[in-house]
Amino acid sequence: MAEKDNTHTDTAGGKREDEFRLLHEELTAAYEEITASEEELRQQCDELLRREEDIRRQNSILTSLHETAMGLMKRVALKDVLTAIVSHANDLIGTSHGFINILDAEQGVFERKVGLGHYAQDIGRKIKLTEGFGGQVYKSGAITVVDDYSASNRRLDGSFFDHINQVVLVPLKRDDTVIAIFGLSFLEPDRSFSDQEISLLVQFAQLASMALDNALLVDSLEKELRERRVQEQKNWRLAYYDSLTGLPNRAYVYARLAEEFDKEGRGKTSGAILHIDLDDLKLINDTLGHSIGDEIIVKAGEYIVAGAGEHALVARIAGDEFMILLVGESDREKVAHIADTVVRQLSREYAIGESRVHMSGSIGIAFYPDDGDTAADVLKKADLALHEAKISGKNTWRFCKAKLQIVAYENMVLKQELREAIEHEELSLYYQPIVDAGSGRIVSFEALLRWTNSAYGAVPPSRFIPLAEENDTIQRVGKWVIEEACRFARQLAEMGKYDIRVSVNVSPRQIIADDFVAVVCQAIDRAGISPSQLEVEITENALIASLEDSTQKLRELRNIGVGLSLDDFGTGYSSLTYLRNLPVGTLKIDKSFIDPMVSDAVQLQFICSIVNMAHVLGLTVVAEGVETEEQLAKLVQCQCDFIQGYVFSRPLAEKEAILLTFNKDLFAKV
């Protein structure tokens, strides 16, 4: 019985032991599971802490980049943006040494525009695109870190770079093209760029590239707005200023006049216009050259400005023409005083290099609104007044007068009438004899053109010849004169007067015509006369219009036997060299030299000198405009060859001239 109880007890005890052991195992497993869970939680907590730190650090970086971007985007001036890029990059990394180089593709270089810290002394350096580490960055387009830069064999030359330890070079791009490189440096041997800092610079470079691209675009636009403003200014000066004198030109003064007449339409303005023309500048251009003429124009402009006063607008409106605009000036006495002053300023010797030339100017004056209610009217009146000053002897000024308008209208009508004068048989030739001073025999006749118009009656040559030249009818009229003179010479020849020449005057426009020689030759052939029966008279003005060409044409005429004479000698710019080169055989002394010779011993001696000089050159001399016996006697005393003037005969109609040829000694008549 007792044995049974022990067995039961042992069995129960073993069962509890197993339960305890199982419970212990379960508790151990639970503890281990809790411990593992606790470790996992700890690891998760650590990870969360690391993530929080990364987020905090990333937020700090993003905040810094955002602030940097905002700082960059606020700037538009290129220099400010470049400085900000380097400055912000320095702040992000924690260095004081940085620079930025801008690409200059045309020159093939990078130019250092900004330098901070150590690089402040290196601004302006130009680095070839293939040079140094910058060339490597330009080629690859990738960020580059250089360790121990001072010892590198690819560093730039110069002791400046001896103290630099580590350098990072960061490209700034437009699309995939490098447009700039910024660099940061550490001078301390123990400092270097971390991967995180490099990553940060890559992000920063994206922002900086956008800011730089915008700044370059703005800079480019500003530069374009500036070559445009400069070009507009140049274009404006070209359009409104004279390049030779620097004075306003025709367009400027006409625009100013338009403004004045816009005010005048509201009754708010008045003023005066002075139209100025230099006297005989064309002669200077043709004899001394256009460069001398240009220098005279420049000096004349200075003299006009000095004479016009500080409140006047002075402009050069054409070759040798100037204009003075006096806004608000209606006092005629004041304007006359200004005109007097300008005329005196212009009338002087102009020293041009080794040449000294006397010049003068003429002025026409008109007032607005008195002389016209439009700019065109007033300018026309000033031009008419200038013409009046010219025909009054030049070197003077004239106010516009009502009669000038009448003259202008008459000139317009006469020009039209002149076109039909030949068809209406209104033209005729009168002939004045030229007499041998020794024998009293007629040696030639000068053919003088006359015009009798049905409406205006006898129109003097001094009036209609300039009009014929202006409307180019001079060619037709001149051809008619030559043909009529040759016909008259034919009549003389038929009466046995082969030795009497007929001379005709030719104008500058005739002699420069391409067919001038042909016209003369055809007239000679048509009349059936010897070329020696015709003489062509030219003035110095006619020659100077085209000296070389004119001289060649005259030589052609001389070679076939046509006589040549130089008319109005002494009134132009004659010189011995000039005379020796001309193919003329006769000089005609102008009447203005003859008139004072009786009462002026110096003038007489002067005429005698002209005669002697001509004889030395192998020329004969004709004295024009001889009216008195005293003049005749003095000229004979001076051994003048031929005499022309009222002392023998006025110009005669054709029949009267023929009858005069039968008078063998006109001295007997005197």
Side-chain angles (χ1 to χ4, degrees), residues 227-253 316-317:
E227 287 166 351
R228 284 188 181 181
R229 292 192 190 102
V230 170
Q231 189 59 46
E232 285 173 0
Q233 183 68 18
K234 287 182 179 178
N235 292 341
W236 187 81
R237 279 202 70 85
L238 287 174
Y240 290 105
Y241 277 80
D242 173 47
S243 59
L244 179 62
T245 63
L247 294 172
N249 62 11
R250 179 190 293 268
Y252 185 99
V253 76
R316 180 189 178 210
I317 61 172

Side-chain angles (χ1 to χ4, degrees), residues 378-495:
V378 179
L379 290 169
K380 182 178 179 181
K381 298 293 180 56
D383 189 54
L384 290 172
L386 173 61
H387 179 71
E388 184 72 10
K390 288 284 190 182
I391 65 176
S392 297
K394 304 178 182 178
N395 192 28
T396 189
W397 59 268
R398 289 289 184 270
F399 282 131
C400 173
K401 298 178 182 177
K403 72 173 185 178
L404 296 181
Q405 188 69 14
I406 298 173
V407 171
Y409 174 77
E410 288 180 352
N411 285 345
M412 181 183 68
V413 175
L414 287 174
K415 284 180 183 179
Q416 182 59 38
E417 292 286 317
L418 196 54
R419 296 184 186 280
E420 304 171 356
I422 296 176
E423 289 77 5
H424 293 169
E425 297 184 348
E426 294 179 348
L427 299 180
S428 62
L429 292 183
Y430 274 58
Y431 301 92
Q432 188 172 35
I434 299 174
V435 179
D436 187 299
S439 66
R441 180 178 58 85
I442 296 176
V443 295
S444 63
F445 284 100
E446 180 179 358
L448 301 170
L449 182 61
R450 298 290 183 262
W451 179 28
T452 304
N453 180 259
S454 58
Y456 290 93
V459 185
S462 61
R463 179 84 183 276
F464 73 79
I465 293 296
L467 297 179
E469 291 179 335
E470 287 177 16
N471 71 353
D472 213 29
T473 57
I474 193 67
Q475 301 292 354
R476 292 179 60 238
V477 171
K479 181 180 179 182
W480 180 87
V481 169
I482 293 171
E483 291 176 344
E484 282 295 298
C486 288
R487 186 188 58 77
F488 178 63
R490 174 65 183 177
Q491 282 190 277
L492 293 175
E494 289 175 348
M495 293 183 295

Side-chain angles (χ1 to χ4, degrees), residues 129-244:
L129 298 183
T130 56
E131 189 176 7
F133 290 101
Q136 177 181 324
V137 174
Y138 176 69
K139 184 177 181 180
S140 67
I143 190 169
T144 297
V145 179
V146 183
D147 295 319
D148 197 8
Y149 180 85
S150 61
S152 173
N153 59 4
R154 295 192 63 182
R155 66 168 234 181
L156 298 177
D157 294 334
S159 59
F160 168 80
F161 301 102
D162 291 347
H163 307 291
I164 299 175
N165 178 38
Q166 195 175 55
V167 177
V168 62
L169 299 170
V170 184
L172 300 180
K173 302 178 182 179
R174 176 187 295 135
D175 298 328
D176 292 326
T177 302
V178 176
I179 57 176
I181 297 173
F182 77 83
L184 307 178
S185 295
F186 291 130
L187 305 187
E188 304 84 350
D190 58 342
R191 289 291 304 274
S192 62
F193 295 97
S194 67
D195 292 343
Q196 187 178 16
E197 288 172 330
I198 298 301
S199 176
L200 180 59
L201 288 176
V202 170
Q203 297 178 65
F204 173 76
Q206 295 174 351
L207 297 174
S209 293
M210 290 188 290
L212 177 59
D213 198 25
N214 288 337
L216 288 172
L217 177 60
V218 171
D219 185 66
S220 175
L221 290 174
E222 288 179 346
K223 285 181 179 178
E224 184 175 350
L225 286 174
R226 284 194 297 270
E227 287 166 351
R228 284 188 181 181
R229 292 192 190 102
V230 170
Q231 189 59 46
E232 285 173 0
Q233 183 68 18
K234 287 182 179 178
N235 292 341
W236 187 81
R237 279 202 70 85
L238 287 174
Y240 290 105
Y241 277 80
D242 173 47
S243 59
L244 179 62

